[in-house]
Amino acid sequence: MADLRGLEIWVPVDEGELLHAALARHAPHGWEEEEKEGGLLARVYASSEDAALIVESGLMASASKTWILRPFTAPERDWLSAWKEFFTPVRAGRRFLILPPWLAGRDSPVRAGRRNIIVIEPKTAFGTGHHASTVLCLRAISDLADAGLIGPGRRFLDLGTGSGILGLGAALLGLRGLGVDPDPAAVENALENRHLNRVSGEDFQARLGSLEVVPEKDFGLILANILAEPLLEMAGEIAARLRPEGFLVLSGLLRSQAGKVVLEYRSQGLRLLKRLGRGEWAALLFAGNGTGAGRA
């Protein structure tokens, strides 16, 4: 196996929020983090030379003068072995449990109970469900299902699908729809995970691109776990694709960014039902103007 490119970023403790914002934008698939030498040290891995250069250039452009960035390499087999040793199941809301393939079999020691298991093959380029923004989105979907507000017959759109976790979660609840992502590798990964979860192409379609490949405007549920800036830029286009009785989940936001996003989507005629938070991250649940729904 080829070595993996990686990047270490050290920042002073008081610049941790700036680091997290930069990582969320340029390394949304996740990172390792620890306290070291009086500051925060993050490690980002990339699955290819091109992917590594994109991440490095983005983070270097965001760095302040106090940041220290150091490229490194790591054997891929060590990374995969570490995942098998340290991967922890992720529970989100009352409905979902995220597991890797080696913990999802019939003899799995993990008890799912009544939760829907989402099987995700860990990759160095895409999320595994551990990031707070993903957990918050799945919690929002779970809350909507618990309240009887979504279910079979409703169509979904997963904008920026990545590994497909959110779209797969919706499909496992009986919804049908599609995920879109501008990264061909993300679409490939989403299709791989669709196969692992035995979800059909009719229930979860994956398209390469963004909103320009989504002419449909009849979604009962839209999921967008991306970043504050593109969410603000695309607010009108996203709102236009939501049915009046539909629901919208936005995440990838720092708590400090949520207020501005709320104002923008309220200006599109949507109603905020709930804010969800985990650490410094936030997710927002909106309802269309024809739902009449209260809090989920």
Side-chain angles (χ1 to χ4, degrees):
M1 293 185 181
D3 287 349
L4 297 172
R5 281 283 300 272
L7 185 68
E8 289 187 340
I9 312 99
W10 180 93
V11 305
V13 172
D14 59 0
E15 294 191 42
E17 185 169 323
L18 293 176
L19 171 64
H20 293 155
L23 288 169
R25 180 167 188 171
H26 301 293
H29 51 279
W31 58 87
E32 298 176 355
E33 185 178 311
E34 64 177 307
E35 294 186 12
K36 190 170 184 180
E37 300 171 0
L40 294 178
L41 178 68
R43 295 184 186 88
V44 181
Y45 295 90
S47 57
S48 70
E49 185 78 12
D50 289 343
L53 291 174
I54 291 171
V55 172
E56 287 178 20
S57 62
L59 288 171
M60 288 178 178
S62 301
S64 74
K65 294 181 179 180
T66 59
W67 294 19
I68 300 174
L69 291 84
R70 296 184 290 257
F72 69 92
T73 58
E76 186 171 4
R77 60 181 176 273
D78 290 350
W79 187 88
L80 294 172
S81 297
W83 267 118
K84 288 196 174 185
E85 184 176 354
F86 297 110
F87 191 106
T88 55
V90 180
R91 292 172 173 81
R94 297 171 58 186
R95 297 272 180 152
F96 299 111
L97 173 64
I98 303 171
L99 294 175
W102 61 86
L103 289 179
R106 182 175 299 177
D107 299 327
S108 172
V110 182
R111 295 293 173 258
R114 296 184 178 181
R115 294 175 184 268
N116 293 279
I117 295 177
I118 305 174
V119 183
I120 297 295
E121 180 71 60
K123 298 284 186 178
T124 56
F126 303 104
T128 58
H130 287 78
H131 196 277
S133 63
T134 306
V135 174
L136 291 173
C137 281
L138 288 172
R139 274 178 50 191
I141 300 170
S142 179
D143 290 349
L144 287 169
D146 288 345
L149 297 174
I150 61 170
R154 191 174 288 260
R155 280 177 51 77
F156 72 83
L157 168 64
D158 180 12
L159 180 62
T161 194
S163 59
I165 291 178
L166 302 183
L168 290 169
L172 291 172
L173 293 179
L175 288 76
R176 286 187 169 188
L178 62 114
V180 298
D181 201 291
D183 186 342
V187 174
E188 181 181 347
N189 189 222
L191 292 174
E192 177 184 6
N193 288 321
R194 185 182 73 182
H195 174 73
L196 288 175
N197 287 272
R198 299 180 181 179
V199 172
S200 73
E202 292 182 353
D203 292 335
F204 180 33
Q205 179 187 359
R207 295 180 189 171
L208 178 63
S210 187
L211 288 177
E212 76 279 356
V213 299
V214 186
E216 300 94 330
K217 295 187 178 182
D218 62 343
F219 295 102
L221 175 66
I222 297 180
L223 311 165
N225 179 20
I226 43 180
L227 295 169
E229 185 176 330
L231 286 176
L232 291 169
E233 293 174 355
M234 295 189 291
E237 293 183 80
I238 291 173
R241 287 165 172 77
L242 186 70
R243 295 175 65 93
E245 65 274 21
F247 298 92
L248 170 65
V249 180
L250 305 179
S251 193
L253 309 167
L254 294 172
R255 287 181 184 266
S256 59
Q257 300 169 323
K260 188 174 182 180
V261 175
V262 169
L263 291 175
E264 180 59 38
Y265 280 81
R266 279 178 170 164
S267 75
Q268 301 296 329
L270 303 183
R271 294 183 297 113
L272 180 68
L273 294 184
K274 183 185 290 188
R275 296 185 191 220
L276 300 93
R278 185 174 186 180
E280 63 190 329
W281 297 95
L284 304 169
L285 172 58
F286 292 90
N289 56 23
T291 62
R295 292 178 62 84

